[in-house]
Structure formats: C-alpha cells, structure tokens
Amino acid sequence: MKKMIGAAVRLVVFLLLGCCMLWSSAATSEAAWQPELLVGLMNGQSSVTLKANSPAVLQTSKPASILEKLPAGAALTIALNAGHLSANGREVRLTAGQELELVVPDARNLASQITTVNGRSYRGAIRLQLRNGGLTIVNRVPVEEYLRGVVPEEMPSDWNKEALKAQAVAARTFALRHRQRHSKDGYDLCATTHCQQYSGIGAERTAASQAVDVTRGETLLYNGQPIEALFHTDSGGMTENSEDVWGSRIPYLRAAREVYANTQPWDKNITAADFCTLLAKHGKSLGTLKTITLSPLTDERNAPDRTVSGRVRMVRLEGTNGTLQVSGNDLRSWLGLRSTMFQMTMRNDVVFITGYGWGHGLGLSQWGAKAFADARHMSYPDILAHYYAGTVLKKLY
C-alpha cells in the first residue's frame, strides 16, 4: 500500500513538474516573440554577395523551394545580367511575384542569424526582389535587433542612459507606426534618414543595445495606437506645435520648453543678389531686394510672423518688383538652414541669417533629452511624457 501511495505521489509530482516545464517553455517562447520588419538596404543593384554565419539555404517564395544549401561562411553571389538571374553562376528562374531569401532554416534563430551583404553585416535574413530592372536588397529582421543598428546612429552611445532609453522607445514607436511606409518598394522602412538611419551590426554599441534591451517592447501609444514619434537633433530652446510645421494639429505634438534656451547657434550669409536669384528659381520674382521685415527673435516669441516657439512663420520681403511673403519652412528648405528659428537682416547688400536649433522641431529633441537627463536627472518615461503630451508608454511584447 505504501509503495502504491509513494508511486502515486511521484506520478503527481512528475506531472506537476512537466506542466511547469511546459508552461515555462511557453512563457519563454511568448516572451521571445517580437514583430519583424522588412528594411530596404539597396535598390537597383546588378549583383550582390551574401554570407551567413550559420548553414543557410537560398530559397524562393510563393511557393517555397530550396535552390541551394550553403555552409556557414560560404559566399553566394546573386547577379542580374540582361534580365537573367544567377546564383553563383547557376541560372535562377522566378515566376511573377517570387522572391529569393537567404535564411537559416530554423526560423527561431532569425534573431541570432547574421548575414553579410557586400561585406556589411546585418542581423536576420536577406531577401532579394526583382524590381525595375534591378535587385532590391531587403533585410528581414526582428524589431529589437533592428533597433540595435538604429539607436547609436540616431544618438551618441556615450550620452546619458536615460536619454538613450528615450531614443530607443521613440525609434521603436516610429518603426511600428511606419510599417509598410515603403510598401510600393517591397519593404516596410528604408535604411536612411527618410525613415531611420540603419547600418546593421557595424553601428552597434553596448550602451545603445542595453537601452534597447531595458525598454524591450515599450511603445508610445495614443488612443491605443503607436504615435508619430518624431524626433530631431535640437529644438533651439523650445519644440513646436505640429500645425505650425505640418499645418495639421496632432494632440501629442505640442510645443514644449527645454532646460536651456538658444541652443545650437548657427549662421548663414548670402548676397542679396544671390538671394533674389534663388527666390526667382522658386517662382518668387522680387527684382532687387530692398527690405526684410521680420519680428525680433525674443523670449516672448508671440509676434504674428512667428510661432509660439519663436520659429518663423513668414518673412516679408520688399523688392523693386513689389512685396511678397515667404514661409520660414520654404526659406529653410531653399537656403539649407538648420531650422526655422532664425533672425534675418540685410546690411550692405548682404543677407545675414542667425539662428538656433537643428531640425524640424517636432517631438523629442535629442540634445534636449540629454539636458533633461543630465541636468534634471529625469527618467526616460518622464522625458518622453514631456515631449509627447498625453501619450501612454506601454510594453506591447
């Protein structure tokens, strides 16, 4: 009888342990899950050389078919010549809509897979698409691994760790918000500043990766959706309301004051003649410039030709052909100015422009976040709340 009871107890314990192990495994698997991104690395290529850090396969999609198996570190050259596609010299034929992908067969290893593209290393798999007579190279990568190659490109990795964490959350939110931004090109995001600068493993730095890890899955939401988490280099002392840059009001992109004012000073000079020539190229015929009318850039910053942050709404220009008004955004674009927070005067037929800040002024100011972390010892949730009013910081995975 004692033996039967003992055996029953051991069976119950065994079953309980088994259930715990299964639950633990499932929890680990669930915790390890994260979304994937398709990041466009290059367009219009005639050839590309790939290598994987583990045994990999070159396969087609729709339907999936293995074309070649490669040992770890073996080079694979995909070439497109006169419309003919080849892999290491062997012809490859694709049906309409098919793609190629170099991937480690075990999909669970995607986060640890490393693939080099023409000598530059990336985490994840590499897809190749035939588009517009060339090869489009796409990195299929989990979001967190993608961020390792983004954050140190967008913010110096030796900055205060709270600022780095704020940047990691903003970059993650931007990526999730803008999935399929380049859908017509065959991927989600590009690897340039049009989306976010992404340079793969070569850009990774320990402190930035730690900021990504600590904030894993944390995303800024408004009404339950990832926000337009814009960021820029430096606000010049105050960020901007969205309607004064885009023309439309976004409730969480509100003007916010910084720790320091008049930051990142800059200047630019141009002769009045060259200035008028530039205006004429953009359909603004002024003749000879006579006067420039623009309110002073002061701490009050409430003049009608300036926004609440002091950025230029409109400059009034008088010339021999008449008077016209030009927006600060147009002048920034045409003259290559760092920001629209500037003062503009003319002396001796030279236009002098002096200003502050660097970037559009919307959302998080990177130098501002650093100042809040350094001087005010603010945590990254507080920094984010300051720049993105009324948003919720939530861990999505």
Side-chain angles (χ1 to χ4, degrees):
M1 184 67 176
K2 289 182 179 180
K3 290 183 179 180
M4 292 177 63
I5 293 174
V9 169
R10 286 194 296 272
L11 178 60
V12 170
V13 171
F14 175 78
L15 291 173
L16 287 173
L17 285 173
C19 289
C20 290
M21 291 175 66
L22 287 171
W23 180 88
S24 176
S25 175
T28 301
S29 176
E30 183 179 354
W33 180 88
Q34 57 176 301
E36 292 180 4
L37 294 171
L38 297 176
V39 183
L41 303 179
M42 292 176 278
N43 298 314
Q45 302 298 299
S46 59
S47 67
V48 62
T49 299
L50 310 175
K51 294 181 182 179
N53 67 327
S54 302
V57 297
L58 178 67
Q59 62 186 22
T60 62
S61 64
K62 303 175 186 177
S65 175
I66 294 176
L67 300 179
E68 191 164 345
K69 296 181 179 180
L70 294 172
L76 173 67
T77 298
I78 307 295
L80 183 63
N81 186 15
H84 297 285
L85 188 65
S86 64
N88 280 349
R90 292 172 46 193
E91 184 179 8
V92 175
R93 293 186 179 182
L94 299 178
T95 59
Q98 272 194 320
E99 301 174 346
L100 294 176
E101 184 171 68
L102 183 67
V103 64
V104 171
D106 187 347
R108 290 174 299 177
N109 289 334
L110 183 62
S112 60
Q113 179 180 340
I114 296 174
T115 312
T116 63
V117 180
N118 292 343
R120 175 174 283 186
S121 297
Y122 298 90
R123 300 184 184 278
I126 297 296
R127 286 185 179 178
L128 300 102
Q129 305 169 353
L130 289 175
R131 286 180 173 269
N132 302 319
L135 289 170
T136 293
I137 318 302
V138 178
N139 184 194
R140 180 166 67 90
V141 57
V143 170
E144 301 301 309
E145 277 57 51
Y146 161 77
L147 292 174
R148 293 174 186 272
V150 167
V151 173
E153 291 283 75
E154 296 290 355
M155 178 177 281
S157 59
D158 60 353
W159 279 15
N160 190 298
K161 63 181 181 180
E162 295 303 307
L164 282 170
K165 292 174 192 175
Q167 179 66 64
V169 172
R172 180 183 297 108
T173 304
F174 183 95
L176 293 176
R177 164 89 178 200
H178 286 286
R179 294 180 77 178
Q180 299 189 342
R181 190 182 200 188
H182 283 272
S183 59
K184 64 181 179 59
D185 302 312
Y187 44 85
D188 293 317
L189 302 167
C190 69
T192 73
T193 53
H194 174 259
C195 292
Q196 297 187 113
Q197 188 68 42
Y198 171 61
S199 300
I201 292 175
E204 293 181 9
R205 298 294 183 271
T206 300
S209 292
Q210 289 173 346
V212 172
D213 291 341
V214 168
T215 64
R216 177 187 168 86
E218 293 184 3
T219 306
L220 289 164
L221 306 179
Y222 191 86
N223 288 339
Q225 299 298 318
I227 70 166
E228 187 74 71
L230 299 179
F231 51 87
H232 58 282
T233 303
D234 186 273
S235 76
M238 188 174 185
T239 65
E240 191 58 276
N241 290 323
S242 62
E243 58 268 26
D244 290 322
V245 178
W246 283 351
S248 58
R249 188 182 191 280
I250 297 177
Y252 49 80
L253 292 180
R254 303 289 86 206
R257 291 194 177 276
E258 304 282 12
V259 175
Y260 306 115
N262 301 335
T263 51
Q264 297 287 325
W266 53 267
D267 62 80
K268 184 181 182 74
N269 304 331
I270 183 172
T271 66
D274 287 345
F275 180 61
C276 290
T277 299
L278 182 65
L279 290 175
K281 287 180 179 179
H282 292 89
K284 304 287 186 180
S285 180
L286 192 63
T288 300
L289 180 62
K290 294 169 62 178
T291 62
I292 298 173
T293 303
L294 177 63
S295 300
L297 179 56
T298 65
D299 288 339
E300 292 184 8
R301 301 179 179 183
N302 57 1
D305 56 1
R306 292 187 181 274
T307 68
V308 66
S309 71
R311 288 174 174 79
V312 175
R313 290 186 193 274
M314 203 71 64
V315 178
R316 185 176 182 271
L317 304 171
E318 183 182 354
T320 55
N321 288 351
T323 301
L324 56 83
Q325 291 186 324
V326 183
S327 73
N329 287 326
D330 282 343
L331 288 174
R332 181 193 174 205
S333 174
W334 299 345
L335 290 166
L337 306 179
R338 288 188 175 184
S339 75
T340 56
M341 187 179 285
F342 61 81
Q343 183 61 54
M344 191 174 190
T345 57
M346 182 175 69
R347 298 189 306 275
N348 301 323
D349 295 324
V350 176
V351 177
F352 296 90
I353 308 171
T354 58
Y356 302 97
W358 195 337
H360 48 61
L362 292 176
L364 180 140
S365 163
Q366 293 167 320
W367 277 94
K370 181 180 187 298
F372 278 119
D374 289 343
R376 300 281 179 84
H377 308 292
M378 284 176 63
S379 65
Y380 74 95
D382 289 336
I383 293 172
L384 293 168
H386 178 77
Y387 287 113
Y388 304 108
T391 60
V392 175
L393 181 60
K394 184 174 181 179
K395 187 176 179 66
L396 296 185
Y397 54 87

